[in-house]
């Protein structure tokens, strides 16, 4: 390399700058701010700021994400994957809502509001009682049903051995039959014609 | 064929009316004779007589208006709105490997933001010796590299898990683009901030996020961060397009597109993964038994015939036919593509336009003579790790139907004797 060691570009980041942008919360709670809220407060905030898309009961409206429901559906056809049924860590819910919600007005919620909204989503998923106060102190009292439902990418063990080596080139099957056709569904946008 | 002299002007109408198929008879082995002189040749055309546009007509040009179908397309029903949504590259109409930026697919989670270079800041902090802030101008002063890589959305072909659904290569395989990037290795920027604080880098991660409202935060293991990840500011020779992360994006070779954080504003060295929304709720792959894979970063070897295909039917009748397509692998270089015309009963090895490059699109051709009979076209990619692209049946046997992401199955196009093609599944 033309430069050995540092090049000397950039400047030191100030603590206030790091604090302004460093909002991520790790599964062990690192980054979780001090604050609290419960489902009753959360219900009001949710009705005001979230329900137009996510429904009064976090059940989702139209194509907008469902945040509640779907318990024990993950091994079914079309599993319903919600905060309650699927998300492994509650920290992710706090982190994501605080940083990126409400959709179109991200970053506008106070920490206490986020605690209350998360509590309401937990309540909507039947994961807490309505008098449970969610705070940085009680955050890990909540058990996420699918916390143990994830495995690290295992394609190396489960797939590659099956799909390596010289493939068949001739007489690979006796018969080929069309089993599904996209035109039957007819959900593709119309062709655009060149001018 | 007696209408050979009218091929260019008459082929569309002939195709639509089925006249080509009806007229398809014996294969011609020599050049057909014209019956009447072609007025496009015998009469002076306006473009051969009058002026064309002056050099001031287009300060930054767009494609010929006759290429109006070579555009990104949206499929409205896929998402709730267009701001957290996807569109598709018109791969059915492109050739070679470089994707024109103007029709290269977009995937946003809170829209394509407008971020000026003067307003741009990149922060590196966390387990580093000196947390740093870079301006855009700072980034251009670091030593640069150039590399061509594909960016494939993890959800590319995801709508096809349960069956043949969308009718066109653009829609089934078009969440992909391939560009030549100029940028600074992420390693260089991390070294600038210093690693002594982090100490042993084993098990360390970087968390990267964008400047947009969605942030798209993702965790990347340090080994990859120090290997080949680029902080890129140019693509295909010019600045990134707004919708592709202007002025700076992350390029993560071979790995799922979601990790290619656009408008990147922050890189944090951490002890472990953040397990953000985009790596828990999304970009995790649910298997048949209800467990889900996480951190399925690499995109496996994959290919698709781009022409003929549903949006690129055969309009020229029988005889010489170019079957072409794209192949790519996130684990290395493509070194072979096989093509089948009979749904996988038999295969021919196609010709690679150029030797495959690591984690970049590779163009293949099979030059053939079409006798007008029905074909079930497939392509099968192999990469230099020895991996062979699987069928959808093989994938489903391991994963079931609910993985959403990472569908790299062999695609089948049913090409009928009239030249029209359809997305199908076969036994």
């Amino acid at each position: 390399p033309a430069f050995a060691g540092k090049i000397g570009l950039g400047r030191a980041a100030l603590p206030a700058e790091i604090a302004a942008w460093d909002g991520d919360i790790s599964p062990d709670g690192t980054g979780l701010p001090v604050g609290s809220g419960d489902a009753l407060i959360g219900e009001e905030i949710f009705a005001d700021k979230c329900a137009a898309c996510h429904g009064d009961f976090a059940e989702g409206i139209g194509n907008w994400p469902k945040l509640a429901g779907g318990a024990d559906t993950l091994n079914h056809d079309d599993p319903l994957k919600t905060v309650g049924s699927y998300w492994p860590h509650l920290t992710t819910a706090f982190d994501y809502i605080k940083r990126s919600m409400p959709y179109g007005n991200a970053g506008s919620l106070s920490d206490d509001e986020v605690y209350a909204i998360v509590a309401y989503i937990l309540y909507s998923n039947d994961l807490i009682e309505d008098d449970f106060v969610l705070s940085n102190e009680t955050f890990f009292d909540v058990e996420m049903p699918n916390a143990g439902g994830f495995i690290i990418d295992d394609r190396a063990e489960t797939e590659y051995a099956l799909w390596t080596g010289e493939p068949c080139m001739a007489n690979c099957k006796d018969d080929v039959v069309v089993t599904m056709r996209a035109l039957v569904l007819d959900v593709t946008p119309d062709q655009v014609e060149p001018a | 064929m007696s209408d050979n002299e009218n091929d260019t002007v008459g082929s569309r109408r002939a195709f639509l009316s089925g006249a080509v198929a009806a007229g398809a008879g014996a294969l011609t082995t020599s050049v057909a004779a014209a019956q009447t002189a072609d007025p496009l040749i015998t009469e002076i055309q306006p473009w051969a007589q009058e002026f064309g546009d002056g050099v001031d007509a287009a300060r930054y040009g767009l494609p010929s208006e006759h290429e109006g179908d070579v555009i990104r397309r949206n499929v409205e029903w896929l998402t709730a709105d267009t701001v957290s949504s996807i569109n598709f590259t018109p791969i059915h109409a492109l050739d070679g490997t470089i994707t024109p930026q103007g029709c290269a697919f977009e995937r946003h989670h809170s829209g394509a933001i407008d971020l000026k270079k003067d307003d741009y800041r990149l922060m590196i902090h966390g387990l580093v010796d000196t947390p740093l802030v870079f301006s855009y101008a700072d980034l251009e002063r670091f030593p640069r590299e150039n590399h061509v890589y594909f960016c494939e959305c993890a959800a590319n072909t995801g709508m096809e898990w349960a069956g043949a659904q969308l009718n066109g290569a653009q829609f089934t395989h078009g969440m992909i683009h391939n560009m030549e990037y100029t940028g600074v290795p992420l390693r260089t920027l991390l070294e600038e901030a210093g690693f002594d604080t982090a100490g042993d880098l084993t098990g360390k991660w970087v968390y990267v996020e964008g400047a947009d409202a969605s942030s798209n935060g993702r965790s990347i293991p340090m080994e990859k961060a120090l290997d080949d990840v680029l902080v890129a500011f140019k693509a295909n020779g010019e600045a990134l397009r707004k919708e592709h992360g202007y002025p700076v994006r992350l390029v993560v070779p071979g790995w799922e597109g979601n990790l290619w954080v656009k408008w990147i504003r922050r890189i944090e060295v951490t002890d472990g993964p953040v397990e953000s929304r985009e790596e828990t709720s999304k970009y995790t792959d649910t298997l048949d038994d209800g467990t889900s894979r996480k951190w399925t970063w690499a995109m496996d070897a994959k290919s698709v015939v781009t022409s003929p295909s549903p949006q690129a039917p055969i309009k020229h009748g029988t005889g010489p036919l170019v079957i072409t397509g794209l192949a790519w692998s996130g684990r290395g270089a493509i070194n072979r593509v096989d093509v089948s015309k009979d749904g996988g009963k038999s295969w021919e090895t196609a010709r690679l336009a150029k030797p495959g490059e690591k984690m970049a699109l590779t163009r293949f051709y099979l030059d053939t003579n079409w006798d007008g009979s029905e074909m079930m076209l497939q392509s099968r990619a192999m990469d230099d790790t020895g991996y062979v692209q699987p069928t959808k049946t093989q994938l489903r046997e391991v994963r079931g139907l609910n993985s959403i992401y990472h569908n790299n199955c062999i695609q089948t196009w049913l090409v009928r004797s009239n030249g029209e093609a359809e997305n199908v599944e076969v036994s």
Side-chain angles (χ1 to χ4, degrees):
Chain A
F3 297 90
K6 295 184 183 183
I7 294 169
L9 290 167
R11 61 155 176 93
L14 300 176
E17 294 171 330
I18 296 172
W21 276 8
D22 179 14
D24 56 271
I25 301 165
S26 293
D28 66 2
T30 304
L32 204 57
V34 173
S36 66
D38 65 24
L40 287 173
I41 303 167
E43 183 177 23
E44 287 180 34
I45 304 168
F46 198 89
D48 188 29
K49 299 185 174 180
C50 318
C53 296
H54 295 295
D56 287 338
F57 307 101
E59 80 281 16
I61 291 177
N63 240 351
W64 297 104
K66 298 165 171 54
L67 309 180
D72 302 318
T73 64
L74 296 180
N75 60 353
H76 297 192
D77 290 344
D78 298 322
L80 175 52
K81 293 152 79 166
T82 69
V83 176
S85 70
Y86 192 62
W87 291 34
H89 311 293
L90 195 58
T91 46
T92 309
F94 193 103
D95 171 299
Y96 182 69
I97 293 166
K98 168 83 175 163
R99 184 157 27 82
S100 298
M101 287 287 141
Y103 193 53
N105 190 23
S108 61
L109 298 168
S110 72
D111 291 336
D112 284 348
E113 285 179 313
V114 179
Y115 277 110
I117 288 169
V118 173
Y120 183 67
I121 293 170
L122 290 170
Y123 176 72
S124 301
N125 277 287
D126 301 320
L127 295 176
I128 58 169
E129 300 298 323
D130 62 3
D131 59 353
F132 182 84
V133 178
L134 185 71
S135 72
N136 51 305
E137 304 285 338
T138 65
F139 207 76
F140 291 94
D141 295 347
V142 182
E143 199 174 325
M144 298 298 277
N146 197 40
F150 292 80
I151 56 171
I152 295 174
D153 185 3
D154 65 348
R155 285 176 288 176
E157 296 78 41
T158 56
E159 297 183 353
Y160 296 144
L162 301 175
W163 305 329
T164 51
E166 181 59 30
C168 178
M169 293 299 285
N171 304 312
C172 301
K173 33 184 161 173
D174 294 334
D175 213 22
V176 180
V177 180
V178 171
T179 54
M180 294 196 86
R181 298 182 48 202
L183 287 183
V184 173
L185 285 177
D186 193 23
V187 291
T188 309
D190 289 339
Q191 268 275 58
V192 174
E193 295 298 332
Chain B
M1 281 179 284
S2 61
D3 63 347
N4 199 51
E5 74 279 7
N6 283 329
D7 247 15
T8 21
V9 285
S11 60
R12 168 163 296 271
R13 188 170 300 129
F15 167 72
L16 292 172
S17 67
V20 168
L27 286 179
T28 49
T29 51
S30 59
V31 176
Q35 302 300 308
T36 55
D38 184 351
L40 284 167
I41 298 170
T42 58
E43 295 171 14
I44 298 175
Q45 300 299 314
W47 54 83
Q49 191 160 39
E50 300 157 14
F51 291 133
D53 292 338
V55 296
D56 261 353
R59 305 278 290 272
Y60 196 114
L62 289 171
S64 160
E65 63 183 36
H66 310 298
E67 296 296 310
D69 55 331
V70 188
I71 53 173
R72 295 187 278 232
R73 300 292 305 278
N74 175 33
V75 177
E76 280 183 25
W77 56 264
L78 281 176
T79 50
D81 73 354
T82 59
V83 166
S84 180
S85 194
I86 188 85
N87 64 23
F88 299 88
T89 303
I91 57 169
H92 64 288
L94 302 177
D95 211 316
T97 58
I98 295 294
T99 312
Q101 291 198 79
C103 65
F105 88 102
E106 304 167 63
R107 202 298 185 229
H108 319 301
H109 293 79
S110 50
I113 59 167
D114 182 28
L115 180 54
K116 285 191 294 193
K117 287 177 179 172
D118 283 350
D119 294 341
Y120 180 77
R121 299 288 185 274
L122 176 62
M123 183 184 291
I124 296 190
H125 71 106
L127 300 173
V128 295
D129 302 340
T130 311
L132 291 175
V133 172
F134 298 111
S135 66
Y136 178 83
D138 291 334
L139 295 180
E140 283 201 341
R141 298 171 67 190
F142 283 99
R144 296 173 209 168
E145 294 185 7
N146 286 267
H147 298 279
V148 176
Y149 295 122
F150 72 81
C151 173
E152 182 185 19
C153 179
N156 200 21
T157 322
M159 301 83 70
E160 303 291 310
W161 270 113
Q165 182 156 244
L166 285 161
N167 205 40
Q170 178 170 24
F171 302 108
T172 58
H173 290 74
M175 296 180 191
I176 194 165
H177 56 60
N178 191 68
M179 301 187 191
E180 185 197 48
Y181 293 97
T182 300
V184 178
L186 177 55
R187 170 190 277 274
T188 304
L189 300 182
L190 289 169
E191 284 174 347
E192 195 70 11
F195 279 131
D196 288 345
T197 299
D200 181 3
L201 296 179
T202 311
K204 297 291 190 297
W205 295 66
V206 295
Y207 181 70
V208 289
E209 73 175 15
D212 62 316
S214 84
S215 100
N216 198 62
R218 290 288 311 249
S219 305
I220 299 175
M222 185 60 78
E223 188 182 18
K224 179 70 172 178
L226 296 180
D227 180 15
D228 55 6
V229 176
L230 277 185
V231 175
F233 40 79
K234 296 281 172 79
N236 294 349
E238 62 181 353
L240 297 171
R241 295 290 170 98
K242 167 183 165 177
E243 62 271 29
H244 297 139
Y246 180 90
V248 183
R249 83 173 307 165
L250 207 62
V251 168
V252 190
W255 286 21
E256 61 188 13
N258 180 256
L259 288 149
W260 294 47
V261 173
K262 296 186 287 190
W263 315 289
I264 185 170
R265 79 170 190 183
R266 189 167 73 91
I267 299 162
E268 180 181 5
V269 177
T270 57
D271 271 325
V274 168
E275 304 233 21
S276 71
R277 187 251 195 182
E278 306 296 331
E279 55 204 23
T280 54
S281 170
K282 307 297 177 187
Y283 308 99
T284 51
D285 314 351
T286 301
L287 304 170
D288 232 6
D289 66 359
T291 62
S292 303
R293 289 174 177 162
K294 63 178 179 180
W295 308 344
T296 47
W297 298 306
M299 303 304 291
D300 283 316
K302 184 167 174 178
S303 68
V304 64
V305 171
T306 53
S307 179
S309 67
Q311 297 157 286
I314 303 170
K315 296 175 180 175
H316 53 57
T318 57
L321 169 69
V322 174
I323 297 171
T324 187
L326 292 165
W328 61 97
S329 172
R331 301 188 189 266
I334 293 296
N335 56 11
R336 181 172 135 192
V337 180
D338 298 330
V339 170
S340 175
K341 298 172 192 165
D342 54 15
K345 276 194 220 177
S346 63
W347 296 84
E348 297 169 70
T349 297
R351 171 170 64 88
L352 303 186
K354 289 191 290 186
E357 290 179 48
K358 280 190 177 306
M359 298 164 289
L361 292 189
T362 301
R363 172 64 57 178
F364 67 85
Y365 297 104
L366 185 72
D367 307 297
T368 194
N369 223 330
W370 185 47
D371 65 4
S373 57
E374 193 172 274
M375 294 186 285
M376 288 187 264
L377 282 182
Q378 299 183 335
S379 61
R380 180 175 69 191
M382 293 175 69
D383 69 21
D384 57 9
T385 71
Y387 177 93
V388 183
Q389 183 184 0
T391 64
K392 201 187 285 187
T393 302
Q394 288 174 311
L395 283 168
R396 285 172 177 159
E397 281 169 1
V398 176
R399 306 185 196 171
L401 291 174
N402 294 321
S403 283
I404 300 176
Y405 307 107
H406 291 280
N407 186 350
N408 66 319
C409 71
I410 289 173
Q411 171 68 44
T412 309
W413 305 128
L414 173 63
V415 182
R416 301 180 194 287
S417 54
N418 67 359
E420 288 182 54
E422 184 184 353
N423 176 12
V424 298
E425 282 188 15
V426 297
S427 57

